[in-house]
Amino acid sequence: MSMILVFDLDDTLYDERLYVESGLRAVADFGEQQFGWDADASFRFMVEVLDTQGRGAIFDHWLASHGRISRTLVQECVKRYRHHTPDLKLDPAAKKLLAALGGYPLYLVTDGHKITQARKVAALGIEPLFRKVFITHRHGVARAKPSTYCFERILAAEKAAWPQLVYVGDNPAKDFVNLNVKGAQTVRVLTGMHKDVKAAPGYEAQHRIAHLGAFQALLPKLEKAARSALSSR
């Protein structure tokens, strides 16, 4: 019996804040090139909005502060943000873990804009570590998590059953709920923006770990649970 280990990307394998700040820097550079606005000042302004109001309308506030807000410019900022080449680093614990798990079939399943996610994967240099990278939006927005479509594709490729599949993610709003129902094994890593979120009933992972460095110690328990589930079928 082979366990199949599937990982989320954002706030699981790296700190998504790095991507957000990298994107804001790209937009700040655009403002300097296009309008002569100081890029460092623009970056600081956008980070302050991020920290105080969240990500929803950063570009609107920034453009409005210069008296240049328009739908066209906001859309251009969003495009620059999504399409920029990010400066990212894999979390050290993730780097060590993935190297240690080379004997397992490894997959990546990540939601988000397909160009954005592909550039993140490329910037991190992690695609060779996985048998396949699934960017869910490449298969249609309806197949983003909590859809199990991409996970079903993995099981078909591996000729495996649900108890053999382990998904490691961070967001209890979507990462685990349908996989729990299917009988997969789920692990929540308490990192990133969702680390303090209290999951709704049925939405929590079966296991929670403080960081990826704790995952290997959990593997024997996951393997035992898979064997037990399969033997009872």
Side-chain angles (χ1 to χ4, degrees):
M1 182 203 74
S2 177
M3 296 287 291
I4 302 153
L5 307 181
V6 188
F7 289 86
D8 176 43
L9 178 61
D10 299 312
D11 277 338
T12 299
L13 296 183
Y14 83 102
D15 183 354
E16 192 180 8
R17 174 78 180 216
L18 295 176
Y19 177 81
V20 174
E21 291 191 2
S22 177
L24 295 182
R25 175 64 70 181
V27 175
D29 289 343
F30 160 70
E32 183 165 281
Q33 294 159 9
Q34 190 78 8
F35 304 112
W37 304 336
D38 182 75
D40 289 337
S42 290
F43 177 72
R44 289 193 299 271
F45 179 93
M46 287 188 276
V47 168
E48 184 176 355
V49 175
L50 171 67
D51 289 338
T52 57
Q53 301 182 47
R55 288 157 64 170
I58 293 174
F59 304 139
D60 303 70
H61 289 298
W62 174 59
L63 292 169
S65 75
H66 290 284
R68 292 297 300 266
I69 189 167
S70 70
R71 183 178 179 184
T72 300
L73 272 178
V74 171
Q75 289 174 338
E76 180 62 26
C77 290
V78 171
K79 181 179 178 182
R80 298 268 176 163
Y81 178 90
R82 287 178 171 171
H83 290 206
H84 86 286
T85 299
D87 180 17
L88 303 178
K89 291 181 180 178
L90 201 61
D91 180 87
K95 186 175 183 178
K96 184 177 180 180
L97 176 64
L98 293 174
L101 296 176
Y104 293 89
L106 301 180
Y107 288 85
L108 186 74
V109 174
T110 177
D111 288 342
H113 189 279
K114 55 189 177 182
I115 294 174
T116 299
Q117 298 308 102
R119 293 196 173 187
K120 291 176 184 176
V121 170
L124 290 165
I126 56 175
E127 191 156 9
L129 301 176
F130 298 97
R131 291 195 175 181
K132 186 173 178 63
V133 170
F134 283 91
I135 296 173
T136 59
H137 286 208
R138 285 177 173 169
H139 306 279
V141 176
R143 286 170 171 165
K145 296 174 291 183
S147 167
T148 59
Y149 173 81
C150 290
F151 300 95
E152 290 164 12
R153 293 273 303 271
I154 292 169
L155 289 183
E158 295 290 337
K159 297 181 173 57
W162 283 110
Q164 293 170 260
L165 187 145
V166 177
Y167 189 54
V168 183
D170 70 292
N171 186 354
K174 62 178 180 174
D175 283 349
F176 315 118
V177 57
N178 286 345
L179 291 175
N180 288 338
V181 173
K182 290 286 188 180
Q185 300 194 69
T186 52
V187 180
R188 177 182 174 187
V189 58
L190 300 173
T191 51
M193 70 177 71
H194 304 293
K195 64 183 179 181
D196 297 319
V197 172
K198 182 174 173 59
Y203 282 74
E204 184 60 278
Q206 296 150 18
H207 306 276
R208 305 201 316 169
I209 54 177
H211 50 78
L212 282 179
F215 180 74
Q216 276 185 284
L218 186 61
L219 268 173
K221 187 174 184 178
L222 297 171
E223 291 171 341
K224 183 179 179 181
R227 286 193 297 269
S228 176
L230 291 173
S231 65
S232 65
R233 289 190 166 195

